[in-house]
Amino acid sequence: MPSGHHRDDPAVRQAHEPDNRVHVMKIGILGSGLMGGALGLALSQAGHDVAFSYARDQDKLERLARRANGTAVSVAQAVERADVVLLAVHWSNLDDVLSRAGDLHEKTIMTCCVPLNAANTQLVVGLKESGAELLARKVPEARIVAAFQTTPSEVFA
């Protein structure tokens, strides 16, 4: 097992079982836009249990959840039930979604957030630290993994 990973972490334990069975993970998706929706659908098609949350349009959130055979829940519910949390919100919504998340103690958070300003024209962090480093300071009790920042959502469609 790679250095720094904890055997007691359910996400790590499930991913490293030595057989060929599919190991279902519960994935809470915070953000149901292009990236959250595309990744959630892909993860569902891979056999994982997905819960979608945090959308501007509740009807869209529920349609997405049905399409993925998942559920539409609150941010706190998505976090509470998750083995892994996928953080897929616009950077300008980061503090709002974190304030709704509840207990993130020892949760694995996979973030695909790019730290752009509201107009998506420039980085708001990244010259001396990464968005993942800033996120880790905001939720020091969680494990942060940065992924998919350079992959457009269309790749997952």
Side-chain angles (χ1 to χ4, degrees), residues 3-132:
S3 167
H5 292 283
H6 303 279
R7 283 195 184 278
D8 59 334
D9 181 345
V12 172
R13 188 172 58 249
Q14 288 173 342
H16 289 87
E17 292 291 332
D19 57 32
N20 291 324
R21 292 179 292 154
V22 173
H23 300 282
V24 176
M25 290 177 41
K26 292 179 180 177
I27 302 171
I29 301 171
L30 312 185
S32 299
L34 294 174
M35 281 300 279
L39 284 167
L41 287 169
L43 291 163
S44 173
Q45 290 169 354
H48 299 291
D49 178 2
V50 295
F52 292 92
S53 68
Y54 202 77
R56 288 179 284 213
D57 181 340
Q58 186 65 28
D59 290 335
K60 178 185 172 189
L61 181 70
E62 290 171 6
R63 283 192 307 274
L64 179 60
R66 279 193 303 274
R67 188 169 161 215
N69 291 321
T71 55
V73 297
S74 72
V75 171
Q77 289 167 323
V79 168
E80 182 179 359
R81 66 182 294 282
D83 298 318
V84 173
V85 174
L86 171 62
L87 183 60
V89 298
H90 191 278
W91 191 259
S92 62
N93 294 321
L94 182 67
D95 288 334
D96 183 50
V97 77
L98 291 176
S99 74
R100 299 174 188 217
D103 185 13
L104 292 165
H105 183 75
E106 295 194 10
K107 288 289 184 177
T108 298
I109 301 174
M110 180 171 49
T111 177
C112 62
C113 300
V114 178
L116 292 173
N117 64 7
N120 292 324
T121 57
Q122 63 184 14
L123 288 172
V124 294
V125 299
L127 300 176
K128 296 187 186 246
E129 67 181 345
S130 70

